Amino acid sequence: MRIASLPDFLLQRIDRATGQPVNRQIYQVLREATLSHQLPAGLQLPSSRELARELAMSRNTVTHAYEQLIAEGYLETRAGAGTFIADTVPDQIVDICRNSRGDTDHLGQVGLSNRGAQLIQRAGVSALQWGAFMPGVPDVTQFPSKVWSRLQNKHWRRSRAELLSYGQGGGYLPLREAIAEYLRVARSVNCRTDQIIITTGIHQSIDLAAKLLGEHGDRAWVEEPCYWGTRSVCHSLGIEPVPIPVDAEGMQVYQTDASHPAQPPRFIFVTPSHQYPLGTVMSLSRRRLLLEYAAAHKAWIMEDDYDSEFRYGSRPLASLQGLDTHERVLYMGTFSKTMFPGLRIGFLVVPEGLSAAFATGHSELYRGGQVFTEAILADFMTEGYFASHIRRMRVLYGERLRLLQQAIEHHFGDAIDFSDGDAGLHLALHLPPECNDVAISSEARAAGIITRPLSGYYMQAASTKRGLMLGYACVPDAQIAPAFDKLAGIIKRHWPA
Amino acid sequence: MRIASLPDFLLQRIDRATGQPVNRQIYQVLREATLSHQLPAGLQLPSSRELARELAMSRNTVTHAYEQLIAEGYLETRAGAGTFIADTVPDQIVDICRNSRGDTDHLGQVGLSNRGAQLIQRAGVSALQWGAFMPGVPDVTQFPSKVWSRLQNKHWRRSRAELLSYGQGGGYLPLREAIAEYLRVARSVNCRTDQIIITTGIHQSIDLAAKLLGEHGDRAWVEEPCYWGTRSVCHSLGIEPVPIPVDAEGMQVYQTDASHPAQPPRFIFVTPSHQYPLGTVMSLSRRRLLLEYAAAHKAWIMEDDYDSEFRYGSRPLASLQGLDTHERVLYMGTFSKTMFPGLRIGFLVVPEGLSAAFATGHSELYRGGQVFTEAILADFMTEGYFASHIRRMRVLYGERLRLLQQAIEHHFGDAIDFSDGDAGLHLALHLPPECNDVAISSEARAAGIITRPLSGYYMQAASTKRGLMLGYACVPDAQIAPAFDKLAGIIKRHWPA
């Protein structure tokens, strides 16, 4: 490896005004940088001729410095390869980098704000993002990368400047058109192109809506249990999540206000198509109640439709947004499940009256999106690859859900219940209240099995249920039973006597 | 174009329980969807055989519905091509989409929060992002897209699942290593790999730091004038920007607190290498004062080093972070200028005590980054392409700066002053206080020339100066003089008599 900016590094440190010979200064700078690891062992230096040209100095000056450093062991020459920072200066290492490693147990001490410390303490994100049974992750190995590469290369050959510069105005127009058309047809979303705002995913969609529509100190109803990310983003913006329990019909919104906290919320976050994490589907009557409540109290419904493309067998459900006649619903979707998470593209459908403000607000707050990638995705959708990839994955994931269900029944029969809503990328395995799902999950992790304890999705001890979130979509068919065998052993050891 | 999800669309709307014949229901759904533009004119439908299979119905059922629709003119067949939504139903269009177009003049009325309305009203983002003299945009046509494509294709062929899943822990490790090494050498930043947090750019870096280190109601010193994005992101998080004037040495930080607002700020945002927008370089004595002030008052210095790679002639300057001995500096950089803006990758270097919290906080708040693209960028850097691209652009942009300087001198001689700091991608052209830079800029825009009025970067009327921001980096050599000729004509018409 070479550091081409070594000339800059030296020029910053050489001062001709001191009267000290320049070769001596080069020697000292390189020596100190080697001792302090600013220049790491093994780094190849430019040839003395090259460096002299870059520094606008005579070659002799550089050669003298190099020779001295080689003589003292700081540099070494390798035959036919060049000059390198030497490997062996262990005794003299002066680590000028900071060495006071942060104590994350005392987050306030290192300088975190209250909201920062709370965010980190409550963090729900996992260090592992791939493997059985990672919830919420699609099988990215099945992604048609050849098609994608081809579309990508086509765009690189055209290389239009606008696609490489800053994005603005809600995202790349043809992608917004493709998404609008897709949502109208597949999800019964009522929308025109200008209502589509391209984001980096659900998190950014929440952030944008919360900043544009919410004030610090506002409250947001969230489902109990709910996705950890929704709570974290709300907290980070000073918006207090208020847990509203979920039953078999969805969030428990009732006609009378008596059963609710006195102050209506600014936002209501729901996952009507496939409750996260429980998998239930919000009933039509509950949907209507929710829409009426939101219209009456001027609350914004944030419909998180994160994985509704994957339904196995049962009839696909129309979106809540499509039922809304009062412009109170913001619909959020993501390509993380249908394409791959690292794409970092999602979208927000806003009521038409808000579309201009959201497009401007997005550019202002985030400086636009990955326009080039948005253009490739637009092609991928309009050329039909998106729909056919979803169809193919639907068959694959449906089969994997069946395999996981079989494995669960094989081990536990009727003794254990699970909910999946016949849809999505994960199921929730329910455990008896005496079972410590956190302990099971961490034991499983040690055995190489990723799960998430269901209790982590609840905010209130009283409503908390025990269980495990199991993602099956990213697990090859043949691995499902063996991986569950391991997990079942751990669960059985924790089973109440 | 085809809508592969038409079967879903139909299944959501067909109800066998009603007793109405299914072919009639298909007919009605398709008819209504055509009238309402949910299915756009020109859309190709699946063949009746295909659709029947997908709906698990007899082919006759579908054929009957299709034939009726064709007979009534809603569908049309094209020989050898298939069945399409007809082009001509103009009289009957019932636009079921929202038609109450939002009135963005009354942002509160459409439901924006106070902070949302303020953000939109103050928005600094421009609708145009490419062309002479767009400030802050590099010449993306010079980007080595073949090399990039090749590295990209290499990664697609390997297609490791981890690169497509969610990112976590501050970003893709090899990229963090490459950035740390680059910064140590080129910018004299004191850092280890774990201090590097990959973000989507300066905006996200500010957002993350403000959420983790700041509280709602905190104050942030910003340079007067400063980058509009810094102010917007702060505002959106309830952090009040306090303008501190800039002189030839940089932000006016003095030893005594008397000259400053009584309450010390939580953050101090500075651009020491190349003041944005004025181009000045912060003096060493001012840097030391700033570091002392921050250490004494426990303020965080946010060093925005957005374009320091491009210095023409003068000696490159070490970073402020490298001078800091109290761990009060967070250093922010971006690949938007060195690579291309649509890449949406930047980085934050945090004090070591904060590195674990920032890595966790980043995953928690944004659900990770574009890991796949991060891997390609890591290769691009370690294989030397990054440094050589910068070197090549430095020569190119240096020449363009010279051409723009010549054009200015040609038209205005000594009558007009400009500042560029002999660095970066733009210069600030100073105008007499009587000149309306906003009017000049909007007239120029109408003539196809993009500029930004300098007055827009100021927060206080008393300190506001008039001028134009001119980006030269993205303008081909041959276009610089002609484009400036046009602009000069407009300026001269506005020149005070």
Side-chain angles (χ1 to χ4, degrees):
Chain A
M1 193 196 307
R2 312 215 11 180
I3 291 290
S5 41
L6 186 70
D8 287 353
F9 183 75
L10 286 165
L11 282 170
Q12 286 173 12
R13 290 162 179 79
I14 294 170
D15 192 351
R16 288 173 195 268
T18 64
Q20 200 185 23
V22 174
N23 67 347
R24 191 71 199 164
Q25 292 191 45
I26 295 177
Y27 158 84
Q28 283 172 341
V29 169
L30 289 179
R31 180 179 173 277
E32 202 183 307
T34 304
L35 286 172
S36 68
H37 286 317
Q38 285 184 289
L39 297 176
L43 181 79
Q44 184 175 13
L45 300 184
S47 70
S48 55
R49 181 191 305 275
E50 219 176 315
L51 184 60
R53 196 184 57 234
E54 293 259 10
L55 298 178
M57 290 170 184
S58 86
R59 189 175 170 195
N60 268 349
T61 306
V62 175
T63 311
H64 276 141
Y66 272 22
E67 280 172 359
Q68 182 72 20
L69 289 161
I70 292 166
E72 293 183 12
Y74 293 101
L75 299 185
E76 57 188 13
T77 54
R78 297 180 197 161
T83 308
F84 297 79
I85 304 287
D87 278 325
T88 48
V89 279
D91 299 341
Q92 304 162 65
I93 286 176
V94 179
D95 190 352
I96 65 156
C97 293
R98 309 289 179 273
N99 51 21
S100 59
R101 290 201 62 88
D103 183 2
T104 51
D105 293 341
H106 299 88
L107 297 165
Q109 275 181 18
V110 298
L112 292 199
S113 60
N114 289 334
R115 69 171 159 193
Q118 280 170 21
L119 181 82
I120 302 304
Q121 263 155 3
R122 291 172 182 149
V125 72
S126 157
L128 285 166
Q129 296 289 339
W130 184 252
F133 292 100
M134 176 72 203
V137 174
D139 191 346
V140 296
T141 67
Q142 299 291 322
F143 182 71
S145 55
K146 274 189 192 158
V147 170
W148 185 261
S149 286
R150 182 170 57 70
L151 296 174
Q152 209 161 32
N153 290 336
K154 189 187 77 183
H155 275 287
W156 274 121
R157 281 193 301 275
R158 287 187 202 157
S159 207
R160 282 157 43 210
E162 291 80 1
L163 295 187
L164 299 176
S165 194
Y166 291 100
Q168 51 81 31
Y172 184 63
L173 195 63
L175 178 60
R176 296 166 76 199
E177 282 165 1
I179 292 171
E181 186 169 307
Y182 168 73
L183 292 178
R184 281 192 295 261
V185 174
R187 305 292 307 126
S188 303
V189 170
N190 280 331
C191 64
R192 294 151 62 130
T193 301
D194 62 353
Q195 291 172 257
I196 311 287
I197 308 293
I198 313 288
T199 67
T200 59
I202 302 278
H203 284 231
Q204 193 182 71
S205 297
I206 299 175
D207 190 80
L208 179 60
K211 283 173 176 170
L212 290 183
L213 303 176
E215 310 286 4
H216 190 270
D218 276 349
R219 286 137 50 99
W221 284 1
V222 297
E223 293 169 319
E224 170 82 335
C226 82
Y227 173 52
W228 53 266
T230 303
R231 296 199 308 249
S232 288
V233 176
C234 283
H235 271 305
S236 79
L237 295 168
I239 292 175
E240 186 200 348
V242 178
I244 307 288
V246 163
D247 63 20
E249 292 195 65
M251 185 186 259
Q252 295 180 350
V253 194
Y254 300 115
Q255 282 111 317
T256 64
D257 285 357
S259 55
H260 291 305
Q263 194 193 341
R266 176 85 61 171
F267 299 102
I268 303 175
F269 286 89
V270 284
T271 48
S273 304
H274 191 224
Q275 204 278 330
Y276 194 87
L278 296 178
T280 46
V281 172
M282 189 180 285
S283 69
L284 186 60
S285 65
R286 201 61 69 76
R287 285 170 193 242
R288 288 200 168 132
L289 275 180
L290 186 60
L291 290 168
E292 280 168 27
Y293 181 91
H297 294 88
K298 299 269 177 204
W300 299 106
I301 296 176
M302 303 292 297
E303 177 176 16
D304 180 353
D305 204 23
Y306 59 101
D307 71 358
S308 60
E309 285 82 2
F310 302 110
R311 295 207 70 81
Y312 319 113
S314 59
R315 130 186 335 218
L317 288 152
S319 65
L320 188 60
Q321 196 267 9
L323 294 176
D324 176 30
T325 52
H326 294 93
E327 309 230 320
R328 302 311 303 175
V329 179
L330 283 81
Y331 174 95
M332 304 185 286
T334 175
F335 290 99
S336 290
K337 318 299 183 188
T338 49
M339 300 282 289
F340 55 91
L343 187 65
R344 297 284 80 214
I345 297 187
F347 49 86
L348 183 62
V349 184
V350 301
E352 193 148 2
L354 294 174
S355 58
F358 270 69
T360 302
H362 186 273
S363 313
E364 186 75 12
L365 287 173
Y366 316 114
R367 207 68 177 94
Q370 320 162 45
V371 195
F372 192 83
T373 308
E374 291 175 18
I376 301 162
L377 180 55
D379 284 1
F380 193 82
M381 291 184 82
T382 55
E383 294 181 21
Y385 299 112
F386 181 67
S388 74
H389 180 55
I390 289 178
R391 271 203 310 275
R392 209 162 65 82
M393 291 304 99
R394 200 183 278 152
V395 173
L396 187 77
Y397 300 160
E399 174 62 14
R400 288 177 181 178
L401 171 57
R402 207 181 51 76
L403 290 171
L404 180 57
Q405 289 168 339
Q406 280 175 358
I408 296 170
E409 276 153 20
H410 168 74
H411 279 281
F412 296 100
D414 289 341
I416 214 164
D417 196 19
F418 53 82
S419 54
D420 52 54
D422 212 11
L425 310 178
H426 77 273
L427 60 71
L429 188 75
H430 300 288
L431 296 175
E434 303 85 358
C435 266
N436 184 343
D437 56 359
V438 177
I440 294 174
S441 183
S442 92
E443 241 176 79
R445 182 76 47 106
I449 308 286
I450 308 171
T451 67
R452 277 174 169 277
L454 191 60
S455 57
Y457 294 84
Y458 289 85
M459 291 180 72
Q460 295 174 311
S463 45
T464 298
K465 294 203 166 57
R466 301 288 176 169
L468 295 174
M469 293 280 284
L470 304 181
Y472 47 79
C474 68
V475 191
D477 296 12
Q479 288 177 24
I480 290 179
F484 192 79
D485 288 349
K486 270 198 218 175
L487 183 61
I490 297 167
I491 294 173
K492 285 169 186 170
R493 282 203 301 279
H494 283 264
W495 201 262
Chain B
M1 194 197 310
R2 312 217 11 180
I3 291 290
S5 42
L6 187 70
D8 286 354
F9 183 76
L10 287 165
L11 282 171
Q12 286 172 13
R13 289 161 181 78
I14 295 170
D15 191 351
R16 288 172 195 268
T18 64
Q20 200 186 24
V22 174
N23 67 347
R24 191 72 199 160
Q25 292 191 44
I26 295 178
Y27 158 83
Q28 282 172 341
V29 169
L30 288 179
R31 179 180 173 280
E32 200 184 309
T34 304
L35 287 172
S36 68
H37 287 317
Q38 284 184 290
L39 297 177
L43 182 80
Q44 185 174 12
L45 300 183
S47 70
S48 55
R49 181 191 304 275
E50 217 177 315
L51 185 59
R53 197 184 56 234
E54 292 260 8
L55 299 178
M57 291 170 183
S58 85
R59 190 175 170 196
N60 268 349
T61 308
V62 175
T63 311
H64 276 140
Y66 271 25
E67 279 171 359
Q68 183 72 20
L69 290 161
I70 291 166
E72 292 182 12
Y74 293 101
L75 299 185
E76 58 186 13
T77 53
R78 298 181 196 161
T83 308
F84 297 79
I85 304 288
D87 278 324
T88 48
V89 280
D91 298 341
Q92 305 164 63
I93 285 177
V94 180
D95 190 352
I96 64 157
C97 292
R98 309 289 179 272
N99 52 20
S100 59
R101 291 200 61 88
D103 183 1
T104 51
D105 292 342
H106 300 87
L107 298 165
Q109 276 182 18
V110 297
L112 292 200
S113 59
N114 289 334
R115 69 171 159 193
Q118 280 170 21
L119 182 82
I120 302 304
Q121 263 155 3
R122 291 174 183 147
V125 73
S126 157
L128 286 166
Q129 296 289 339
W130 183 252
F133 294 99
M134 175 72 202
V137 174
D139 191 345
V140 296
T141 67
Q142 298 291 321
F143 182 71
S145 55
K146 275 190 191 157
V147 170
W148 186 261
S149 286
R150 183 169 57 72
L151 297 174
Q152 210 161 31
N153 291 335
K154 189 188 76 182
H155 275 287
W156 275 121
R157 281 192 302 274
R158 287 187 204 156
S159 208
R160 282 156 46 209
E162 291 80 359
L163 295 188
L164 298 177
S165 193
Y166 290 100
Q168 50 81 31
Y172 184 63
L173 195 63
L175 178 60
R176 296 166 77 199
E177 282 166 0
I179 292 172
E181 187 168 305
Y182 168 72
L183 292 178
R184 282 192 294 262
V185 174
R187 305 292 308 127
S188 304
V189 170
N190 279 331
C191 63
R192 293 151 63 129
T193 301
D194 61 354
Q195 292 171 258
I196 310 288
I197 309 293
I198 312 289
T199 68
T200 59
I202 302 278
H203 283 232
Q204 193 181 72
S205 297
I206 298 175
D207 191 80
L208 179 60
K211 284 173 175 170
L212 290 183
L213 303 176
E215 310 287 3
H216 190 272
D218 276 350
R219 287 137 50 97
W221 284 0
V222 297
E223 293 169 320
E224 170 82 334
C226 82
Y227 173 52
W228 53 265
T230 303
R231 295 200 308 247
S232 288
V233 176
C234 283
H235 271 305
S236 80
L237 294 167
I239 292 174
E240 186 200 348
V242 178
I244 307 288
V246 162
D247 63 19
E249 291 196 65
M251 184 185 260
Q252 295 180 348
V253 195
Y254 300 114
Q255 283 110 319
T256 64
D257 284 357
S259 55
H260 291 306
Q263 195 192 340
R266 176 86 60 172
F267 300 101
I268 303 175
F269 286 89
V270 283
T271 48
S273 305
H274 190 223
Q275 204 278 330
Y276 194 87
L278 296 179
T280 46
V281 172
M282 189 181 285
S283 69
L284 186 59
S285 66
R286 201 61 70 75
R287 285 170 193 240
R288 289 198 168 135
L289 276 179
L290 185 61
L291 290 167
E292 280 169 26
Y293 181 91
H297 294 89
K298 297 269 177 204
W300 298 106
I301 296 175
M302 303 292 295
E303 177 176 17
D304 180 352
D305 205 23
Y306 59 101
D307 72 358
S308 60
E309 285 82 2
F310 302 110
R311 296 205 70 81
Y312 319 113
S314 59
R315 128 189 334 218
L317 289 151
S319 66
L320 188 60
Q321 195 267 8
L323 293 176
D324 176 29
T325 52
H326 294 93
E327 310 229 319
R328 301 311 304 176
V329 178
L330 283 80
Y331 174 96
M332 304 186 287
T334 175
F335 289 100
S336 290
K337 318 298 182 188
T338 48
M339 301 283 289
F340 56 91
L343 187 65
R344 297 283 80 213
I345 297 187
F347 49 86
L348 183 62
V349 184
V350 301
E352 193 148 2
L354 294 174
S355 57
F358 270 68
T360 302
H362 186 272
S363 314
E364 186 75 13
L365 287 173
Y366 316 113
R367 207 71 176 92
Q370 321 161 44
V371 196
F372 193 82
T373 308
E374 291 175 17
I376 302 161
L377 180 56
D379 284 0
F380 193 82
M381 291 185 83
T382 54
E383 294 181 21
Y385 299 112
F386 181 67
S388 75
H389 180 56
I390 289 178
R391 271 203 309 275
R392 208 163 65 82
M393 291 304 100
R394 199 183 280 152
V395 173
L396 187 78
Y397 299 161
E399 173 62 13
R400 289 177 180 177
L401 171 57
R402 207 180 51 77
L403 289 171
L404 180 57
Q405 289 168 340
Q406 279 175 0
I408 296 169
E409 276 154 20
H410 168 73
H411 278 282
F412 296 100
D414 289 341
I416 214 165
D417 196 19
F418 53 82
S419 53
D420 53 53
D422 211 12
L425 310 177
H426 77 273
L427 60 70
L429 189 74
H430 300 288
L431 295 174
E434 302 84 0
C435 265
N436 184 343
D437 55 359
V438 177
I440 294 174
S441 183
S442 91
E443 241 175 79
R445 181 75 47 104
I449 308 286
I450 308 171
T451 66
R452 277 174 170 276
L454 192 60
S455 57
Y457 294 83
Y458 289 85
M459 292 180 73
Q460 295 174 310
S463 44
T464 297
K465 294 202 166 56
R466 301 288 176 170
L468 296 173
M469 293 281 283
L470 304 180
Y472 48 81
C474 67
V475 192
D477 295 12
Q479 288 177 24
I480 290 179
F484 192 79
D485 288 349
K486 271 198 216 174
L487 182 62
I490 297 167
I491 294 173
K492 284 171 186 170
R493 282 203 299 280
H494 283 264
W495 200 265

